[in-house]
Amino acid sequence: MNANHWAGPRRRDRLGLRLAAVAVAGATVATLAPTAAVAAGVGVPAAVAEAERPGPAVDLGPELRTLVERGGATAALGEVRENGRRPWRDAAGVVDLDSGRAVRTDSRFRIGSVTKTFVSTVVLQLADEGRLRLDDPVERYLPGVVPNGGAISIRQLLSHTSGLFDYLEDQRFLYHDEASLRAYLAEGRWTDFRPEDLVSVGVGHAPYFAPGQGWYYSNTNYILTGMIIRKVTGRTWQREVERRIVEPLHLDSTTFPNTSTRIPGPHAHGYIQLPEGPTDVTRLNPTVADAAGNGISTTADLDRFHAALFGGKLLTPARLAEMTTVVPAPTIAAHYGLGLIRYDLPCGEVWGHTGGIPGYNTILLGARDGSRQFALSFNLLEGAETDETGAAIDSLFLKAACGPDGTGKTGADRSQSPLKLLR
């Protein structure tokens, strides 16, 4: 995973271009010129918008529009939830660059690694039911799949302390030039992957460290976790998330597809910048992400999920305490629990996860006591980032978490956000 705050195109050139970042090495960085519709913002009738926003305590609309107008995003939408109410919800940008139609606040989007929090919640429920133990070795459920699997626990998978190599860092998932990126766009993004295929790539590399002796964000951990859920329950991890979380909470716009390349319902398109202009990457085969990041949702559903999780509706207090027991995550300047990130801000702690997949970036964060949530999706035109991109995202993040001045304290020093968007 990228270790610096906001990796611009030059930095990504040095790292190699991963599937999750998908930018053009060496291509000219072009700022997206906003159309009138992009600048206009909200894509819902005024009467509906007013009903959705009863007296906002914080207005993040200007930041959303900055991200679109000057930060290289084609669309951005967000929602704040406080004590079960929705004081703010807004959107800026367009559904697609061809039509220029304004994006709706209820649009669906790919959530990337925010999927991990759903998957971890299911595992903790299974532990509460006595169907597995977090300190059981991987070998018990997936014999012969992982070298040294007897020394790696489920807990270490969930906390990224297993040391297993991230399959997305293998050369076959990296793009070093324009030709290889074009090959991905034409053929690679339609490829079907089995979870076993992805794990095989990951375990084909030497581990980063011995189990429990460090921290490194590795998507291989959650592919294995999804396989363990299937072994224990006899059902796919997608079905277990649906029956245990999505259906009870009525997250009607949240899905976890298998091979379907489409996003159902209203949604903004995702793009990658090529020398001749933006290329639509909305449709792709999500099996490349599987239990590490294939989900689709809305800001409203994500906020509802976060509120239920931290409000004690999905886990017992003891299991939630385990989920929020963290280890240092130095490469993202944060702390990591079991499928959860803790960021320490000027105004205190926030909990949740971030995610990215080609064309889409997601932030879901909130208070530990379940009183406040913030969900944001933005369609960054990869390869068209500007000097204002990172600052706009930081401002949204800090203002949503800490209040209008971005600190939670009048006159307090605003330090740089530690936010890292994880794939």
Side-chain angles (χ1 to χ4, degrees):
M1 288 297 103
N2 203 332
N4 58 316
H5 157 65
W6 182 258
R10 291 195 189 122
R11 175 63 176 160
R12 278 202 283 260
D13 288 351
R14 292 199 300 272
L15 291 173
L17 302 176
R18 71 171 58 243
L19 171 65
V22 191
V24 182
T28 301
V29 177
T31 303
L32 177 68
T35 64
V38 172
V42 182
V44 294
V48 175
E50 285 303 313
E52 290 175 343
R53 297 192 293 275
V58 58
D59 179 15
L60 305 177
E63 284 78 11
L64 285 184
R65 286 182 280 280
T66 295
L67 188 54
V68 169
E69 295 167 14
R70 300 194 297 275
T74 59
L77 48 148
E79 177 185 292
V80 171
R81 179 185 173 116
E82 291 180 343
N83 298 313
R85 296 176 61 251
R86 186 168 61 202
W88 176 83
R89 190 186 195 190
D90 206 347
V94 296
V95 170
D96 62 85
L97 296 178
D98 290 334
S99 73
R101 288 180 294 120
V103 67
R104 293 166 44 162
T105 57
D106 63 348
S107 293
R108 301 184 189 189
F109 47 86
R110 299 191 188 277
I111 65 174
S113 284
V114 176
T115 301
K116 292 179 173 70
T117 308
F118 287 86
V119 171
S120 181
T121 300
V122 167
V123 172
L124 287 159
Q125 289 179 345
L126 291 172
D128 237 3
E129 295 163 10
R131 302 177 71 177
L132 56 76
R133 294 182 300 177
L134 296 182
D135 294 315
D136 284 343
V138 173
E139 185 71 13
R140 177 171 298 177
Y141 302 96
L142 304 173
V145 173
V146 179
N148 200 29
I152 298 172
S153 69
I154 295 174
R155 188 187 305 273
Q156 289 168 341
L157 296 181
L158 297 179
S159 63
H160 295 296
T161 56
S162 71
L164 291 172
F165 183 88
D166 183 357
Y167 70 92
L168 283 180
E169 295 191 347
D170 181 89
Q171 287 297 313
R172 73 200 75 183
F173 296 103
L174 297 174
Y175 300 90
H176 299 284
D177 54 30
E178 185 183 319
S180 59
L181 177 56
R182 288 186 186 276
Y184 163 72
L185 292 170
E187 299 176 4
R189 62 168 156 159
W190 312 116
T191 303
D192 248 348
F193 291 96
R194 298 183 310 137
E196 294 82 359
D197 298 332
L198 302 176
V199 169
S200 179
V201 172
V203 302
H205 291 264
Y208 299 116
F209 47 79
Q213 299 304 303
W215 188 90
Y216 196 91
Y217 189 83
S218 173
N219 290 284
T220 306
N221 291 318
Y222 275 78
I223 305 300
L224 286 164
T225 300
M227 294 169 64
I228 290 171
I229 290 173
R230 182 162 192 164
K231 183 73 172 183
V232 170
T233 67
R235 289 180 285 266
T236 65
W237 69 266
Q238 289 102 320
R239 182 57 192 140
E240 287 300 299
V241 170
E242 289 166 357
R243 63 188 290 268
R244 292 169 175 272
I245 301 174
V246 173
E247 293 167 3
L249 296 181
H250 302 288
L251 306 182
D252 299 330
S253 297
T254 298
T255 57
F256 296 89
N258 185 15
T259 60
S260 175
T261 63
R262 60 186 292 268
I263 300 176
H267 60 275
H269 287 222
Y271 295 91
I272 295 170
Q273 180 75 6
L274 289 174
E276 66 270 24
T279 297
D280 197 313
V281 72
T282 305
R283 299 193 69 161
L284 54 82
N285 188 323
T287 56
V288 70
D290 193 58
N294 85 352
I296 294 169
S297 192
T298 62
T299 56
D301 276 9
L302 290 183
D303 276 347
R304 191 177 302 122
F305 166 59
H306 191 289
L309 177 61
F310 286 93
K313 294 182 179 179
L314 295 173
L315 296 175
T316 62
R319 290 300 178 190
L320 185 58
E322 281 191 281
M323 194 178 195
T324 54
T325 298
V326 298
V327 296
T331 59
I332 61 170
H335 290 77
Y336 205 92
L338 305 182
L340 284 174
I341 305 169
R342 189 192 84 199
Y343 292 105
D344 298 324
L345 302 180
C347 59
E349 300 174 353
V350 290
W351 294 83
H353 217 289
T354 68
I357 200 165
Y360 297 85
N361 288 277
T362 303
I363 299 170
L364 174 63
L365 295 167
R368 173 64 175 82
D369 63 5
S371 62
R372 182 179 175 88
Q373 297 79 35
F374 168 61
L376 169 71
S377 169
F378 58 97
N379 301 80
L380 185 65
L381 178 56
E382 298 284 1
E385 302 93 335
T386 74
D387 290 341
E388 296 189 55
T389 302
I393 295 168
D394 275 354
S395 182
L396 274 165
F397 173 54
L398 285 169
K399 192 173 176 182
C402 296
D405 72 347
T407 65
K409 299 178 181 179
T410 303
D413 176 45
R414 176 183 283 182
S415 61
Q416 182 175 343
S417 164
L419 181 65
K420 307 292 186 299
L421 300 174
L422 296 174
R423 271 73 178 182

